[in-house]
Amino acid sequence: MAAEENKSTLEVIPRNEEKIKKIWKTAGILLVLTSIEFVFAFTLPRGLLLYAIFIGLTIWKAKYIMMEFMHLGEEAKPLFYSIIVPLIFLVWLVIALMREGSDIFMIRW
Amino acid sequence: MSTTATAVGVSSKRGIWGGGNEPLKASYGKLMMWFFLLSDIFTFAAFLTAYAAIRVSYPGYAGPEDVFVGSNEYWPVPEMVFDAIPFFHGAHIPLAFVGLMTFILIMSSVTMVLAVEAGHRNDRPDVVKWLLWTLLGGITFLSCQAWEWSHFIHGTDGGSMITYVNKLGQVVSETVYGANLAVNEYGPAAFAQLFFFITGFHGFHVTIGVFLLFLAFYQAAVGVYERRGHYEMVEKIGLYWHFVDLVWVFVFTFFYLI
Protein backbone atom coordinates (compact mmCIF):
# COMPACT_ATOMS: atom_id res chain seq x y z
CA MET A 1 0.00 0.00 0.00
CA ALA A 2 2.76 2.36 1.00
CA ALA A 3 4.67 1.55 -2.13
CA GLU A 4 1.61 2.37 -4.19
CA GLU A 5 1.28 5.75 -2.48
CA ASN A 6 4.92 6.60 -2.98
CA LYS A 7 4.95 5.74 -6.63
CA SER A 8 5.77 8.74 -8.77
CA THR A 9 2.78 10.38 -10.34
CA LEU A 10 4.66 13.30 -11.84
CA GLU A 11 6.56 13.00 -15.03
CA VAL A 12 10.28 13.04 -14.27
CA ILE A 13 12.25 15.07 -16.78
CA PRO A 14 15.80 13.76 -17.40
CA ARG A 15 18.78 15.81 -16.24
CA ASN A 16 19.91 18.64 -18.43
CA GLU A 17 23.67 18.23 -18.08
CA GLU A 18 24.33 21.67 -19.56
CA LYS A 19 22.29 23.38 -16.86
CA ILE A 20 24.01 21.42 -14.10
CA LYS A 21 27.39 22.22 -15.61
CA LYS A 22 26.50 25.92 -15.54
CA ILE A 23 25.66 25.69 -11.81
CA TRP A 24 29.04 24.14 -11.03
CA LYS A 25 30.73 26.75 -13.20
CA THR A 26 29.09 29.52 -11.17
CA ALA A 27 30.24 27.77 -7.99
CA GLY A 28 33.76 27.71 -9.37
CA ILE A 29 33.63 31.44 -10.14
CA LEU A 30 32.46 32.21 -6.59
CA LEU A 31 35.25 30.13 -5.08
CA VAL A 32 37.88 31.70 -7.34
CA LEU A 33 36.71 35.23 -6.44
CA THR A 34 36.85 34.34 -2.73
CA SER A 35 40.35 32.90 -3.15
CA ILE A 36 41.44 36.12 -4.87
CA GLU A 37 40.14 38.08 -1.88
CA PHE A 38 42.14 35.80 0.40
CA VAL A 39 45.36 36.25 -1.52
CA PHE A 40 44.90 40.04 -1.62
CA ALA A 41 44.23 40.14 2.13
CA PHE A 42 47.77 38.88 2.75
CA THR A 43 49.70 40.45 -0.11
CA LEU A 44 48.41 43.97 -0.69
CA PRO A 45 48.95 46.79 1.82
CA ARG A 46 45.85 47.87 3.76
CA GLY A 47 44.28 51.00 2.38
CA LEU A 48 41.52 52.47 0.30
CA LEU A 49 42.60 50.64 -2.87
CA LEU A 50 42.44 47.24 -1.16
CA TYR A 51 39.07 48.02 0.41
CA ALA A 52 37.70 49.13 -2.97
CA ILE A 53 38.90 45.86 -4.53
CA PHE A 54 37.27 43.86 -1.72
CA ILE A 55 33.93 45.65 -2.06
CA GLY A 56 34.03 45.38 -5.84
CA LEU A 57 34.68 41.63 -5.71
CA THR A 58 31.94 41.23 -3.09
CA ILE A 59 29.36 42.98 -5.25
CA TRP A 60 30.51 40.89 -8.19
CA LYS A 61 29.92 37.72 -6.14
CA ALA A 62 26.53 39.05 -5.00
CA LYS A 63 25.59 39.53 -8.65
CA TYR A 64 26.41 35.90 -9.43
CA ILE A 65 24.42 34.60 -6.43
CA MET A 66 21.36 36.71 -7.28
CA MET A 67 21.39 36.13 -11.03
CA GLU A 68 22.50 32.49 -11.27
CA PHE A 69 21.44 30.92 -7.97
CA MET A 70 18.30 32.91 -7.24
CA HIS A 71 17.39 33.14 -10.95
CA LEU A 72 16.49 36.80 -10.61
CA GLY A 73 17.59 37.38 -14.19
CA GLU A 74 14.97 34.93 -15.45
CA GLU A 75 12.10 36.65 -13.64
CA ALA A 76 9.78 39.10 -15.39
CA LYS A 77 11.36 42.54 -15.85
CA PRO A 78 8.94 44.36 -13.49
CA LEU A 79 9.83 41.91 -10.70
CA PHE A 80 13.53 42.24 -11.46
CA TYR A 81 13.42 46.03 -11.24
CA SER A 82 11.17 46.10 -8.18
CA ILE A 83 13.93 44.19 -6.34
CA ILE A 84 16.96 46.01 -7.79
CA VAL A 85 15.79 49.63 -7.95
CA PRO A 86 15.00 50.07 -4.21
CA LEU A 87 18.62 49.16 -3.47
CA ILE A 88 19.54 52.63 -4.78
CA PHE A 89 18.51 53.95 -1.37
CA LEU A 90 21.45 52.06 0.11
CA VAL A 91 23.83 54.36 -1.76
CA TRP A 92 22.44 57.27 0.20
CA LEU A 93 22.63 55.31 3.46
CA VAL A 94 26.27 54.42 2.95
CA ILE A 95 27.30 57.98 2.00
CA ALA A 96 25.37 59.52 4.91
CA LEU A 97 26.67 57.15 7.57
CA MET A 98 30.27 57.21 6.34
CA ARG A 99 30.24 61.02 6.57
CA GLU A 100 28.75 60.77 10.02
CA GLY A 101 31.43 58.30 11.08
CA SER A 102 34.32 60.38 9.82
CA ASP A 103 32.90 63.49 11.50
CA ILE A 104 32.77 61.63 14.81
CA PHE A 105 36.37 60.63 14.18
CA MET A 106 37.39 64.27 13.65
CA ILE A 107 35.71 65.34 16.88
CA ARG A 108 37.03 62.47 18.96
CA TRP A 109 40.62 62.33 17.74
CA MET B 1 8.22 27.36 -13.53
CA SER B 2 7.27 30.88 -12.61
CA THR B 3 3.56 30.66 -13.30
CA THR B 4 1.72 28.01 -11.36
CA ALA B 5 -1.70 29.60 -11.03
CA THR B 6 -3.76 31.65 -13.42
CA ALA B 7 -6.96 33.43 -12.56
CA VAL B 8 -9.95 31.20 -13.20
CA GLY B 9 -12.48 32.23 -15.78
CA VAL B 10 -10.54 35.12 -17.22
CA SER B 11 -11.00 35.44 -20.91
CA SER B 12 -7.96 36.43 -22.90
CA LYS B 13 -10.19 38.86 -24.78
CA ARG B 14 -10.70 41.06 -21.73
CA GLY B 15 -7.49 42.91 -22.46
CA ILE B 16 -5.03 44.59 -20.17
CA TRP B 17 -7.59 46.52 -18.09
CA GLY B 18 -9.94 43.57 -17.62
CA GLY B 19 -8.21 42.19 -14.58
CA GLY B 20 -6.60 38.83 -14.09
CA ASN B 21 -3.24 40.01 -15.39
CA GLU B 22 0.00 38.68 -13.98
CA PRO B 23 2.52 41.43 -14.64
CA LEU B 24 5.18 39.82 -12.44
CA LYS B 25 4.56 36.27 -13.72
CA ALA B 26 5.41 34.76 -10.35
CA SER B 27 3.31 32.85 -7.85
CA TYR B 28 2.12 34.56 -4.68
CA GLY B 29 4.53 32.61 -2.47
CA LYS B 30 7.61 33.38 -4.52
CA LEU B 31 6.66 37.03 -4.84
CA MET B 32 6.23 37.40 -1.08
CA MET B 33 9.52 35.63 -0.46
CA TRP B 34 11.26 38.10 -2.77
CA PHE B 35 9.75 41.10 -1.03
CA PHE B 36 10.58 39.67 2.39
CA LEU B 37 14.16 39.20 1.21
CA LEU B 38 14.22 42.79 -0.05
CA SER B 39 13.24 44.01 3.43
CA ASP B 40 15.87 41.73 4.95
CA ILE B 41 18.48 43.15 2.58
CA PHE B 42 17.72 46.56 4.06
CA THR B 43 18.03 45.24 7.60
CA PHE B 44 21.43 43.69 6.99
CA ALA B 45 22.57 46.64 4.91
CA ALA B 46 21.71 48.93 7.84
CA PHE B 47 23.73 46.74 10.21
CA LEU B 48 26.74 46.59 7.94
CA THR B 49 26.64 50.30 7.18
CA ALA B 50 26.43 50.99 10.91
CA TYR B 51 29.51 48.78 11.29
CA ALA B 52 31.33 50.80 8.63
CA ALA B 53 30.31 54.11 10.25
CA ILE B 54 31.54 53.04 13.69
CA ARG B 55 34.66 51.53 12.15
CA VAL B 56 35.69 54.83 10.51
CA SER B 57 34.98 56.75 13.71
CA TYR B 58 37.97 54.95 15.31
CA PRO B 59 41.56 55.12 14.17
CA GLY B 60 42.80 51.91 12.56
CA TYR B 61 45.80 50.02 13.90
CA ALA B 62 48.77 51.62 12.19
CA GLY B 63 51.78 49.67 13.48
CA PRO B 64 53.35 46.55 12.00
CA GLU B 65 51.06 43.55 12.06
CA ASP B 66 53.42 41.09 13.74
CA VAL B 67 53.58 43.11 16.96
CA PHE B 68 49.83 43.78 17.14
CA VAL B 69 48.33 44.07 20.61
CA GLY B 70 44.63 44.51 21.32
CA SER B 71 43.59 47.91 22.65
CA ASN B 72 40.38 49.89 22.84
CA GLU B 73 42.25 52.91 21.46
CA TYR B 74 42.13 51.67 17.88
CA TRP B 75 40.22 49.22 15.68
CA PRO B 76 41.93 45.81 15.49
CA VAL B 77 43.33 44.09 12.38
CA PRO B 78 41.01 41.17 11.52
CA GLU B 79 43.90 38.84 10.64
CA MET B 80 45.22 39.18 14.18
CA VAL B 81 41.84 38.59 15.85
CA PHE B 82 40.43 35.73 13.80
CA ASP B 83 43.48 33.49 13.62
CA ALA B 84 42.46 30.38 15.54
CA ILE B 85 41.26 27.03 14.26
CA PRO B 86 40.07 24.02 16.27
CA PHE B 87 42.67 21.52 17.57
CA PHE B 88 45.56 23.93 17.00
CA HIS B 89 45.67 25.73 20.30
CA GLY B 90 47.58 28.99 20.28
CA ALA B 91 48.64 28.68 16.63
CA HIS B 92 48.48 31.81 14.48
CA ILE B 93 46.66 30.74 11.30
CA PRO B 94 44.87 33.90 10.14
CA LEU B 95 41.45 33.67 8.47
CA ALA B 96 41.75 29.94 7.72
CA PHE B 97 38.76 28.90 9.80
CA VAL B 98 36.47 31.62 8.52
CA GLY B 99 37.61 30.75 5.00
CA LEU B 100 36.48 27.19 5.64
CA MET B 101 33.12 28.47 6.89
CA THR B 102 32.70 30.56 3.73
CA PHE B 103 33.53 27.54 1.60
CA ILE B 104 30.96 25.40 3.46
CA LEU B 105 28.22 27.98 3.04
CA ILE B 106 28.93 28.55 -0.66
CA MET B 107 28.93 24.79 -1.27
CA SER B 108 25.62 24.41 0.57
CA SER B 109 24.24 27.14 -1.69
CA VAL B 110 25.39 25.13 -4.71
CA THR B 111 23.72 21.94 -3.49
CA MET B 112 20.58 24.00 -2.80
CA VAL B 113 20.44 25.29 -6.37
CA LEU B 114 20.91 21.68 -7.55
CA ALA B 115 17.94 20.67 -5.38
CA VAL B 116 15.83 23.44 -6.92
CA GLU B 117 16.91 22.31 -10.39
CA ALA B 118 15.92 18.72 -9.54
CA GLY B 119 12.58 20.04 -8.28
CA HIS B 120 11.90 21.62 -11.67
CA ARG B 121 12.37 18.16 -13.15
CA ASN B 122 10.10 16.50 -10.52
CA ASP B 123 13.04 14.22 -9.71
CA ARG B 124 12.31 13.24 -6.11
CA PRO B 125 15.45 11.16 -5.34
CA ASP B 126 17.66 14.03 -6.56
CA VAL B 127 15.74 16.64 -4.57
CA VAL B 128 16.05 14.57 -1.40
CA LYS B 129 19.74 13.91 -1.98
CA TRP B 130 20.68 17.54 -2.60
CA LEU B 131 18.49 18.85 0.22
CA LEU B 132 20.25 16.46 2.59
CA TRP B 133 23.65 17.80 1.49
CA THR B 134 22.40 21.36 1.96
CA LEU B 135 21.08 20.53 5.40
CA LEU B 136 24.44 19.02 6.34
CA GLY B 137 26.23 22.13 5.09
CA GLY B 138 23.96 24.37 7.13
CA ILE B 139 24.45 22.38 10.32
CA THR B 140 28.22 22.27 9.79
CA PHE B 141 28.30 26.03 9.28
CA LEU B 142 26.34 26.60 12.49
CA SER B 143 28.67 24.31 14.42
CA CYS B 144 31.68 26.23 13.10
CA GLN B 145 30.08 29.48 14.13
CA ALA B 146 29.42 28.11 17.62
CA TRP B 147 33.12 27.28 17.95
CA GLU B 148 34.10 30.68 16.58
CA TRP B 149 31.88 32.46 19.11
CA SER B 150 33.11 30.31 21.95
CA HIS B 151 36.71 31.12 21.08
CA PHE B 152 35.93 34.82 20.66
CA ILE B 153 34.23 34.93 24.08
CA HIS B 154 36.93 32.99 25.96
CA GLY B 155 39.81 34.73 24.25
CA THR B 156 43.52 34.03 23.95
CA ASP B 157 45.92 32.75 26.61
CA GLY B 158 47.65 36.10 27.00
CA GLY B 159 44.73 38.50 26.88
CA SER B 160 45.37 42.24 26.54
CA MET B 161 45.93 45.11 28.96
CA ILE B 162 42.84 47.29 28.60
CA THR B 163 41.93 50.53 30.37
CA TYR B 164 38.19 50.95 30.59
CA VAL B 165 35.31 52.17 32.76
CA ASN B 166 33.83 49.26 34.68
CA LYS B 167 30.27 48.70 35.89
CA LEU B 168 30.84 50.76 39.03
CA GLY B 169 31.98 53.72 36.98
CA GLN B 170 35.64 53.34 37.97
CA VAL B 171 38.48 53.57 35.47
CA VAL B 172 40.40 50.32 35.68
CA SER B 173 43.47 48.94 33.90
CA GLU B 174 43.60 45.18 33.84
CA THR B 175 44.31 42.19 31.67
CA VAL B 176 41.13 41.30 29.82
CA TYR B 177 40.55 37.85 28.35
CA GLY B 178 38.04 37.26 25.58
CA ALA B 179 35.01 39.43 24.98
CA ASN B 180 31.68 40.46 26.39
CA LEU B 181 29.39 43.37 25.58
CA ALA B 182 31.20 45.75 27.96
CA VAL B 183 34.88 45.10 27.27
CA ASN B 184 37.03 42.85 25.10
CA GLU B 185 40.70 42.11 24.55
CA TYR B 186 40.64 42.76 20.80
CA GLY B 187 39.54 46.37 20.36
CA PRO B 188 36.92 48.96 21.31
CA ALA B 189 33.79 47.65 23.04
CA ALA B 190 31.83 48.41 19.84
CA PHE B 191 33.97 45.88 17.97
CA ALA B 192 32.71 42.90 20.00
CA GLN B 193 29.20 44.34 20.23
CA LEU B 194 28.95 44.56 16.45
CA PHE B 195 30.51 41.14 16.04
CA PHE B 196 27.94 39.53 18.33
CA PHE B 197 25.09 41.54 16.87
CA ILE B 198 25.73 41.02 13.16
CA THR B 199 27.15 37.49 13.03
CA GLY B 200 24.52 36.52 15.62
CA PHE B 201 21.70 37.87 13.48
CA HIS B 202 23.12 36.06 10.48
CA GLY B 203 23.48 32.85 12.50
CA PHE B 204 19.85 33.22 13.57
CA HIS B 205 18.88 33.38 9.90
CA VAL B 206 20.93 30.25 9.20
CA THR B 207 19.20 28.48 12.10
CA ILE B 208 15.77 29.28 10.67
CA GLY B 209 17.06 28.17 7.27
CA VAL B 210 18.14 24.82 8.72
CA PHE B 211 14.65 24.30 10.18
CA LEU B 212 13.06 25.16 6.81
CA LEU B 213 15.49 22.86 4.99
CA PHE B 214 14.62 20.04 7.34
CA LEU B 215 10.94 20.66 6.64
CA ALA B 216 11.53 20.61 2.87
CA PHE B 217 13.75 17.53 3.14
CA TYR B 218 11.14 15.65 5.17
CA GLN B 219 8.21 16.66 2.98
CA ALA B 220 10.08 15.86 -0.22
CA ALA B 221 11.14 12.49 1.17
CA VAL B 222 7.64 11.39 2.19
CA GLY B 223 6.20 12.62 -1.11
CA VAL B 224 4.17 15.64 -0.01
CA TYR B 225 5.39 17.72 -2.95
CA GLU B 226 4.81 14.90 -5.37
CA ARG B 227 1.17 14.68 -4.31
CA ARG B 228 0.94 18.46 -4.47
CA GLY B 229 2.16 18.27 -8.04
CA HIS B 230 5.07 20.73 -7.82
CA TYR B 231 8.24 21.46 -5.88
CA GLU B 232 7.72 25.18 -5.45
CA MET B 233 8.35 25.01 -1.71
CA VAL B 234 11.92 23.86 -2.41
CA GLU B 235 12.30 26.87 -4.70
CA LYS B 236 11.07 29.33 -2.05
CA ILE B 237 13.24 27.89 0.69
CA GLY B 238 16.05 27.92 -1.85
CA LEU B 239 15.62 31.68 -2.34
CA TYR B 240 15.91 32.17 1.43
CA TRP B 241 18.96 29.93 1.68
CA HIS B 242 20.78 31.75 -1.13
CA PHE B 243 19.99 35.01 0.60
CA VAL B 244 21.68 33.73 3.78
CA ASP B 245 24.74 32.92 1.66
CA LEU B 246 24.55 36.36 0.03
CA VAL B 247 24.59 38.06 3.42
CA TRP B 248 27.54 35.96 4.56
CA VAL B 249 29.53 37.10 1.51
CA PHE B 250 29.12 40.69 2.76
CA VAL B 251 29.71 39.86 6.43
CA PHE B 252 32.89 38.04 5.41
CA THR B 253 34.19 41.07 3.52
CA PHE B 254 33.36 43.65 6.17
CA PHE B 255 34.31 41.72 9.30
CA TYR B 256 37.16 39.51 8.26
CA LEU B 257 38.83 41.28 5.36
CA ILE B 258 38.50 45.04 5.85
Side-chain angles (χ1 to χ4, degrees), chain B residues 72-85:
Chain B
N72 53 7
E73 295 283 309
Y74 46 76
W75 207 262
V77 184
E79 277 123 271
M80 307 311 287
V81 176
F82 305 104
D83 64 346
I85 57 173

Side-chain angles (χ1 to χ4, degrees), chain A residues 51-63:
Chain A
Y51 297 161
I53 292 173
F54 281 154
I55 291 169
L57 284 173
T58 306
I59 291 172
W60 200 7
K61 280 199 280 185
K63 190 209 111 187

Side-chain angles (χ1 to χ4, degrees), chain A residues 1-8, chain B residues 124 226:
Chain A
M1 191 192 92
E4 191 69 26
E5 241 172 65
N6 284 335
K7 227 179 148 203
S8 179
Chain B
R124 186 165 78 175
E226 199 144 289

